[in-house]
Amino acid sequence: MHPDQSPLRAHPATEQVPSLLVDLDLMLDEFTRRPLQAEFRFDPGTPAVIGVEFLVERGASRSWNIGRELLHRGLTSMSGLGEVRMWPTLPGGPPSSWLLLESPEVEALFELPTAQLARWLDATYRIVSAEAEWDVLNWDGLLDELTGGPGTPTDA
């Protein structure tokens, strides 16, 4: 494997899904919302992970990597646990979902439209199906990276 080639990347796919720019709301408290945008990115070389960049008007943007399956399931039911969770809002309003991101430094709750995200996720699954998303990994390279490479002594 070439030193610049990540074991988590596959051969480049011929089809691409353009990134998705979504208007969403950051919930500052129960009654206060701050509108902002997020850009969702799909890389067929790492199809199980969606990159999300939260674009803020002032200051640095924030990026998170979120499981594609978690996002897909979160459109219709509770999904995820720990640092990333997503679930649909209550019926009665426009279709949307809550996305909760937690880390030691930050906790953020977003409301995002589901129809736009659902169409975009469907396009990603047409390029790399859920069944095939783990097939693109270079498992030997990943194992070498996790173990320190072939022939690397281990502590016994």
Side-chain angles (χ1 to χ4, degrees):
M1 175 172 30
H2 188 276
D4 295 332
Q5 182 181 0
S6 168
L8 296 177
R9 301 200 48 88
H11 300 293
T14 56
E15 292 185 72
Q16 296 291 323
V17 174
S19 63
L20 172 68
L21 196 59
V22 174
D23 292 319
L24 48 85
D25 289 323
L26 169 62
M27 305 303 295
L28 299 175
D29 60 38
E30 188 176 344
F31 304 104
T32 310
R33 298 168 177 261
R34 177 183 298 158
L36 61 107
Q37 291 186 316
E39 184 176 12
F40 290 74
R41 286 189 219 99
F42 173 73
D43 178 354
T46 55
V49 178
I50 299 295
V52 183
E53 184 174 5
F54 296 92
L55 308 169
V56 294
E57 217 173 275
R58 294 186 179 119
S61 61
R62 302 281 187 234
S63 296
W64 283 72
N65 290 320
I66 302 174
R68 181 169 66 155
E69 181 181 0
L70 185 151
L71 289 172
H72 187 255
R73 287 185 181 192
L75 297 171
T76 57
S77 63
M78 177 58 94
S79 179
L81 57 115
E83 293 182 342
V84 180
R85 287 171 273 166
M86 188 168 152
W87 64 96
T89 59
L90 295 174
S96 62
S97 291
W98 297 112
L99 176 63
L100 178 64
L101 304 176
E102 294 181 301
S103 76
E105 299 85 33
V106 68
E107 178 177 301
L109 178 64
F110 302 93
E111 184 177 8
L112 56 127
T114 56
Q116 191 178 14
L117 182 57
R119 284 190 302 272
W120 184 80
L121 285 169
D122 287 345
T124 71
Y125 281 112
R126 283 192 296 276
I127 291 177
V128 180
S129 70
E131 297 79 19
E133 67 185 11
W134 296 104
D135 294 342
V136 301
L137 291 179
N138 175 345
W139 290 103
D140 292 334
L142 178 60
L143 183 59
D144 287 347
E145 186 175 284
L146 292 173
T147 62
T152 303
T154 59
D155 295 332

